[in-house]
Amino acid sequence: MKYCIHHLLYILFLSSVFFALPSNLVAKPYSIDMRHQNLDMKIGAPAIIAPNEMLPSFNISSDSKLLVQGSIKTYDRELFTLLDSKLLEPNDEVIIQLDNQNIQEGTYCVSFQITDNNDSVYHESFYFSILNSEKISGNHSLIVFPCSDGKLKYIPDYRGNRIPDYSTAGYKRGGIEIPEIPVELELGPKKGDDTERIQEAIDVVSAHHSGGAVLLTEGVYEISESLEIRNSDVVLRGEGQGDFRELWLEPSLDYTLDEFINSLQPVNATVLIATGEERRRLISIYGDNGILKSESTKSEIVDQYVPVGANSFRVKNPEMFSAGDRIILERTGNSEWISEIGMDQISELGEGRIVTQWSPFDIEFEHTIKSVKDDLIILEGTVFNAIEKKWGGGRIYKYCDEDRISEVGIENLRAISFWRKDEYGVDNTKHAHQFLNFSNTKDSWVKNVTTEHFFSINGAISIGRGSTQITISESSALLADDEYYSGSMYSGNAHVETGVYVGRYGFRIRGQNNLIVGCYTLNNRHSFSISSRVPGANVFLNCKGEGSLTWSGPHHKWSTGGLYDNVNDKLSFMNRLNMGGGHGWAGANYVAWNTNGILVCEQPPTAQNWAIDHGGKKEEGPFIDYSSEGYWEFTDYPLEPESLYLKQLEDRIGEEAIPEVDFFKFRSDIVDEKDIIINYPNPARNYTYFEYMLKEEMYIQLNVYTINGEFVSVVDQGYREEGNQKVYWEVVDNSGNKLPAGIYVYQLITDNGTYANKLLITQ
């Protein structure tokens, strides 16, 4: 609803008498629309104009006397040109047509400053990119690709929303190696319960001024209770995790505890066995508090709209802030916004089952200020959820977090929750259910840790709220087959006798700016999940879920800013509607980059989700009728950069900061000979990669056949060196003709044998 200035003043007068009307709910005294015949004015759709094409126009109408001043800037905020000022009377309307004289290819921001006759100032910005899309290489995305300087260029929508920067995720904001902490105490295995002995060692090291590592040498350690780390600079380290994919406690063998321990002798690993019938967390890492906001530094954001991917915005009191300040960026979603995204109208589940409609809420993002220029706050990272005045706006605060602990690590060990089949042949849930949780912790890590049979709904390994900058690497969460969690003693996913819900979450994130890299799950329900209303950035990189029962991804209630980068699993960014009694829109502004497996990618109202070069199966979510598709893009050639996170990290810090990531790890399983050669993406459309490993130099030939055995093409032939081999193949026959959709067989012939696999080609 629009008001003239007299009505607005009258409402403000009434508000001073009866209630305080928040400034961000006062109606704007104008309307402004960007127009262009070839642009899709839609959130998440790239606003691209071809060279020499007419530029956009802006239609501005007034409800009161207004002064409109405008400018065109480059995306980096450099002034390109000023626009002529316009003075509007009440009920006036003006069209501003941009002149394309001397404007070159690039991304531009059209900024307006609108002042009413009460000297209230409104800031509006719109974006467009002049781009010859035919010049973009076929193996690059249209909306994020390398420029001539090697750094990524991002193409925003008409309000400026684009793929955000995820590179701040991980230990020390990414690009910093996890340190090798010196050993202070060493323990060896002993028969019987080791809980008290290990806890005492942790406490001794915790009391040291400089901390240190507790080393548990190879062997088996029984833990009947729980362990705690409550101080900084403490590491619990073993001497190996063993095979990170293989279950050592196989339920079908039905070992007693003693039999199982004996089966591990000798063991080339450090094994913690959670004994007893108490459901519990094995290790808790926690500080006393998380962040403490300084209410006295609260400053409202004055922009009408701050887009996803932006690294700057204007605030009311910029003089309170300086470079290096750590701030909370608080984004509000009011009741009007809840209605806009349909989360106050979630359909009922049925008789006796309750759906909870959403209420307004805030999301708090931790950031560091890079610089302050006039009233402009410039961040070291980017915004992960658009901030819009009409939906409640946003504000910033300084904060402190002295009660968080840091530099805590769990390394090089295996943890097994011991249990045996009950008389019904299932897991009765009477054993330790979670391995590890971080709470109120920062700049810490887990590396080279394998867990077995921890089934908690909170995750076998969990990063809790109040925790940030955690890296979990080269670790796994293994569970028994689904047959042990179903049948007559299970009602749905809960054990009938105990009433315990078996969540079977592998890695679960509830904090922000965390990185999970090179990790693996077996038989999990939700392997790599992010909880409700979790702020970004959070990144899963080079991970694989095997035997997953259902989706990984944001799980419920509007988590924002997650990246699944080279992940092979069942993934979904979707409206979960009445699942879980009202999960609704699970996540917004998520990216699936170079993924495989299965993917559902839908667009939430007021936001976007992006799927860039998914190499597996594309699916619709169960509530697609309440949703719309997200942004899907498939490149003609293997996607570059291969990893979005690593490239963003390189752009921000430099090439020397890029960690080594073994992308071959989950693409070739040389333990099983049937997988000595694999291909991806599979299904393939226009191309695929074949990868195989040779233990020595030899002559090879790689052929493709129809499912009926008819020869199609020679893909690779000749002498090849020892090691990993990678071969690109367009899906064509020997004559260069595109192959029809169908199932094909490829065969690798070597001196050591012949190996084959299937390939599905789609249109």
Side-chain angles (χ1 to χ4, degrees), residues 183-188 197 201 213-217 221 239:
V183 173
E184 288 292 323
L185 273 177
E186 181 176 316
L187 298 179
R197 195 161 62 99
V214 174
L215 177 64
L216 305 179
T217 60
Y221 300 79
E239 290 190 325

Side-chain angles (χ1 to χ4, degrees), residues 14 53 91 126 131 143 183 185 199 232 318 361 371 379 384 449 467 476 521 545 558 578 617 676 690 693 704 736:
L14 288 179
E53 191 176 359
N91 301 316
F126 300 86
L131 178 67
I143 61 173
V183 173
L185 273 177
Q199 186 63 59
S232 298
F361 61 91
S371 61
L379 304 175
F384 291 98
V449 170
S467 292
S476 61
T521 65
W558 204 264
N578 54 28
K617 184 179 180 183
I676 197 168
F690 293 97
M693 176 175 283
V704 175

Side-chain angles (χ1 to χ4, degrees), residues 378-398:
I378 302 172
L379 304 175
E380 288 188 357
T382 58
V383 173
F384 291 98
N385 199 130
I387 299 167
E388 194 165 0
K389 280 286 187 181
K390 69 178 179 179
W391 304 139
R395 59 217 57 87
I396 63 173
Y397 309 77
K398 292 182 185 179

